[in-house]
C-alpha cells in the first residue's frame, strides 16, 4: 500500500516553494470562518433562545447559503481573478456577521436570524479552494511542464491546515463564547476574516492567471460540475459534512447534558486533532494505491468508527472514539482533492474545489439541523446517529459510481504519490 522511500519530497521542500508563505499565512487566518462560524452561531443562538433546534436551524441556513453560493464564487474567481472576488466578499461577510450577532442579542424573531444568516453564509470567503488553486498553479501540470511530485504533498498539507483550523477554531470560539461573551466567538470570526482576507487578496504574484478565454475573445466557462467525477465527489463530501455538523452539535449537547459545557471545545479539538494527525501521516507516505481506492477505504473506515458514537456515554470513551473518527476523515478528504487535479482542467479547478467545500457545508448544514432536533427531542446521544447515516450514504454512492472517478484519457500525468510519477491512474 505504501512506500518508505527516504528521499521523497516532503513538507519541508513544499514550504520552500517560492512565494508559498505569502499566501499561506494570511490564508490561514482567513479560513477561520469555516471552523468558527457554525459553532459560533450554535452557541450564541442557543444562549439567546434556549433551543439547540433553533440554533442548528440558523447555522444550517448559513451552511446551505454557503453551499449554494460557493461554487459561483469559485467560478467568478476562475474568470476574473481571486482578488476581484475576495475584496467585496470579506467586507460583506464581516457586515453580515455583525448584523446576525446584533439580531440575536436583541432577541429578534427566528425569521430575522434566518434572513441575516443567508448573506453570512453566502459571503464566506473560499480561501481553502483558492489556496489549493494557487498550489495547482505553481506545482500542477501546464503547457511544457509536468505536474510536480509535490502536488500530493500540497494536497495533504492543505488537509492538515484545514484540520488545524478545526482544532483551534472551535476551541477558540467556544472559549470566547463561554468565557468572555456569547457573541465573542462570532465577533472574532468576522475580524479574522476581514484582516486575513484583505491580506490574502493583496498577494497578487501567486494568484492563478485568468486564462480560459476562447479564440474569439469570449470566455469559455464549462462548469466543473459537468465532470461526472466531480458530481460523485460532491455527493460523497456531503457525508464528511454530516460528520462535522453532527459532531459539533452533538458534542455541544453532550457537554451541556453532563453539566460540563467547557468540555465541548476539548472533545471537538480531540476529534479534529485526529483528522490533522492523519493528514500529516498521509503527506509523509508515498502511496502505491491510487486516490480512488484510498477514498473508498477512507469512507469505509469512517463509517465503521462513526457507528459507535451514539452508544458512548462517558467523556474519555467519547474522546477516544472521536479521535478515531477524526483519523479516518483526512484520508478521504485528501484523496478526493487529489482526484480533482486528475479530473478537472486548470481553468475550472477553483470552482471544482468550491463544489467540494460547498458540499461539506451543505452536509454540515443538514447535520446541524437534524442533530439539533434529535438532541432537543431525545438527548445528545441520538444526534450522533447523523454522522453514521451520512457516511453510510456517501460510501454507498462511492461504491455504486466509482467508475466515474476515472479521468478521460488525455495523455496527462499526475502524481501517484509523493516522489512518484506515472500515467493518469486513480486506483
Amino acid at each position: 500500500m505504501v512506500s518508505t522511500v527516504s528521499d521523497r519530497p516532503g513538507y519541508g521542500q513544499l514550504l520552500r516553494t517560492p512565494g508559498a508563505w505569502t499566501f499561506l499565512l494570511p490564508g490561514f487566518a482567513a479560513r477561520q470562518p469555516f471552523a468558527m462560524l457554525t459553532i459560533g452561531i450554535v452557541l450564541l443562538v442557543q444562549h439567546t433562545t434556549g433551543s439547540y433546534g433553533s440554533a442548528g436551524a440558523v447555522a444550517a441556513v448559513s451552511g446551505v447559503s454557503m453551499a449554494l453560493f460557493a461554487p459561483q464564487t469559485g467560478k467568478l474567481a476562475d474568470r476574473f481573478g481571486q482578488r476581484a472576488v475576495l475584496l467585496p466578499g470579506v467586507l460583506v461577510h464581516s457586515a453580515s456577521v455583525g448584523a446576525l450577532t446584533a439580531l440575536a442579542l436583541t432577541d429578534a424573531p427566528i425569521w430575522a436570524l434566518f434572513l441575516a444568516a443567508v448573506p453570512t453564509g453566502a459571503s464566506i470567503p473560499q480561501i481553502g479552494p483558492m489556496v489549493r488553486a494557487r498550489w495547482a498553479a505553481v506545482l500542477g501540470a501546464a503547457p511544457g511542464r509536468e505536474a510536480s511530485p509535490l502536488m500530493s504533498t500540497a494536497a495533504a498539507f492543505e488537509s492538515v491546515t484545514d484540520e488545524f483550523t478545526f482544532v483551534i477554531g472551535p476551541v477558540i470560539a467556544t472559549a470566547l463564547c463561554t468565557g468572555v461573551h456569547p457573541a465573542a466567538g462570532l465577533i472574532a470570526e468576522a475580524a479574522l476574516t476581514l484582516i486575513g482576507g484583505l491580506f490574502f487578496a493583496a498577494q497578487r504574484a501567486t494568484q492563478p492567471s485568468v486564462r480560459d478565454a476562447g479564440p474569439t475573445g469570449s470566455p469559455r466557462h464549462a462548469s466543473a460540475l459537468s465532470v461526472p467525477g466531480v458530481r460523485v465527489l460532491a455527493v460523497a463530501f456531503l457525508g464528511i459534512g454530516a460528520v462535522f455538523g453532527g459532531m459539533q452539535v452533538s458534542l455541544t449537547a453532550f457537554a451541556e447534558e453532563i453539566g460540563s459545557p467547557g468540555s465541548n471545545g476539548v472533545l471537538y479539538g480531540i476529534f479534529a486533532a485526529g483528522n490533522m494527525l492523519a493528514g500529516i501521516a498521509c503527506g509523509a507516505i508515498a502511496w502505491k494505491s491510487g486516490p480512488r481506492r484510498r477514498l473508498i477505504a477512507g469512507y469505509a473506515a469512517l463509517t465503521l468508527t462513526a457507528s459507535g458514537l451514539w452508544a458512548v456515554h462517558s467523556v474519555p470513551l467519547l474522546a477516544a472514539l472521536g479521535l478515531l473518527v477524526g483519523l479516518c476523515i483526512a484520508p478521504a478528504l485528501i484523496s478526493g482533492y487529489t482526484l480533482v487535479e486528475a479530473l478537472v482542467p486548470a481553468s475550472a479547478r477553483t470552482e471544482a474545489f468550491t463544489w467540494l467545500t460547498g458540499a461539506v457545508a451543505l452536509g454540515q448544514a443538514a447535520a446541524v439541523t437534524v442533530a439539533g432536533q434529535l438532541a432537543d427531542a431525545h438527548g445528545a446521544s441520538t444526534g450522533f446517529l447523523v454522522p453514521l447515516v451520512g457516511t453510510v450514504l456517501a460510501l454507498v454512492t462511492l461504491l455504486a459510481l466509482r467508475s466515474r472517478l476515472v479521468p478521460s484519457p488525455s495523455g496527462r500525468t499526475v502524481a501517484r504519490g509523493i516522489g512518484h510519477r506515472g500515467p493518469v491512474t486513480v486506483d
Side-chain angles (χ1 to χ4, degrees):
M1 290 291 291
V2 301
S3 172
T4 56
V5 177
S6 60
D7 60 347
R8 62 181 177 269
Y11 293 117
Q13 185 174 338
L14 178 73
L15 296 178
R16 289 193 295 272
T17 301
W21 286 105
T22 63
F23 63 83
L24 287 179
L25 290 178
F28 178 76
R31 329 163 84 119
Q32 293 307 309
F34 204 64
M36 297 177 68
L37 184 63
T38 298
I39 192 66
I41 291 175
V42 167
L43 291 173
L44 175 60
V45 177
Q46 194 279 331
H47 172 79
T48 58
T49 65
S51 169
Y52 283 108
S54 297
V58 176
V61 170
S62 71
V64 170
S65 182
M66 174 191 162
L68 294 176
F69 283 88
Q72 307 311 314
T73 300
K75 185 179 291 188
L76 290 172
D78 283 328
R79 181 175 182 180
F80 298 109
Q82 295 180 359
R83 176 184 171 86
V85 174
L86 272 175
L87 290 179
V90 296
L91 295 174
V92 171
H93 182 73
S94 299
S96 300
V97 171
L100 176 60
T101 302
L103 288 170
L105 291 175
T106 55
D107 297 321
I110 193 69
W111 62 263
L113 300 183
F114 288 157
L115 288 179
V118 172
T120 296
S123 58
I124 292 177
Q126 299 302 307
I127 300 295
M130 289 181 182
V131 171
R132 287 181 169 90
R134 292 190 184 216
W135 280 124
V138 174
L139 303 173
R145 184 189 74 191
E146 289 187 344
S148 167
L150 284 168
M151 274 299 300
S152 292
T153 313
F157 180 82
E158 284 308 302
S159 179
V160 171
T161 303
D162 280 341
E163 299 325 312
F164 186 56
T165 66
F166 275 99
V167 171
I168 67 169
V171 174
I172 292 174
T174 300
L176 290 172
C177 290
T178 58
V180 180
H181 189 276
L186 284 182
I187 293 172
E189 182 270 344
L192 284 171
T193 301
L194 181 62
I195 296 170
L198 292 177
F199 274 101
F200 184 84
Q203 310 308 314
R204 299 187 183 187
T206 54
Q207 178 177 264
S209 59
V210 181
R211 54 186 176 186
D212 55 334
T216 63
S218 59
R220 281 196 313 243
H221 297 295
S223 173
L225 203 60
S226 65
V227 178
V230 173
R231 297 196 294 270
V232 175
L233 289 173
V235 173
F237 272 46
L238 290 170
I240 292 179
V243 175
F244 285 137
M247 291 293 281
Q248 284 184 335
V249 172
S250 299
L251 288 175
T252 301
F254 176 82
E256 192 75 31
E257 199 170 80
I258 64 173
S260 179
S263 64
N264 167 46
V266 176
L267 286 171
Y268 194 84
I270 291 172
F271 157 71
N275 197 352
M276 183 180 69
L277 292 173
I280 293 172
C282 286
I285 293 172
W287 297 93
K288 290 183 178 179
S289 60
R292 183 176 69 163
R293 185 173 299 175
R294 302 200 305 269
L295 180 70
I296 293 173
Y299 267 94
L302 185 58
T303 301
L304 179 63
T305 54
S307 64
L309 288 168
W310 67 274
V312 176
H313 301 286
S314 73
V315 172
L317 287 177
L318 188 56
L321 190 55
L323 178 66
L324 291 177
V325 173
L327 287 170
C328 297
I329 290 178
L333 276 173
I334 293 170
S335 300
Y337 282 122
T338 301
L339 280 169
V340 168
E341 202 277 331
L343 295 169
V344 182
S347 60
R349 233 171 249 154
T350 304
E351 183 199 348
F353 288 134
T354 54
W355 275 113
L356 302 191
T357 304
V360 173
L362 185 59
Q364 184 174 351
V368 296
T369 303
V370 176
Q373 297 291 341
L374 288 173
D376 278 344
H378 305 290
S381 295
T382 57
F384 288 116
L385 292 173
V386 174
L388 173 59
V389 173
T391 54
V392 167
L393 294 176
L395 178 60
V396 170
T397 299
L398 285 174
L399 290 173
L401 302 175
R402 60 188 181 277
S403 62
R404 300 188 183 185
L405 297 175
V406 178
S408 301
S410 60
R412 294 181 56 202
T413 57
V414 296
R416 297 180 58 193
I418 301 174
H420 288 69
R421 299 288 310 153
V424 171
T425 178
V426 293
D427 273 331

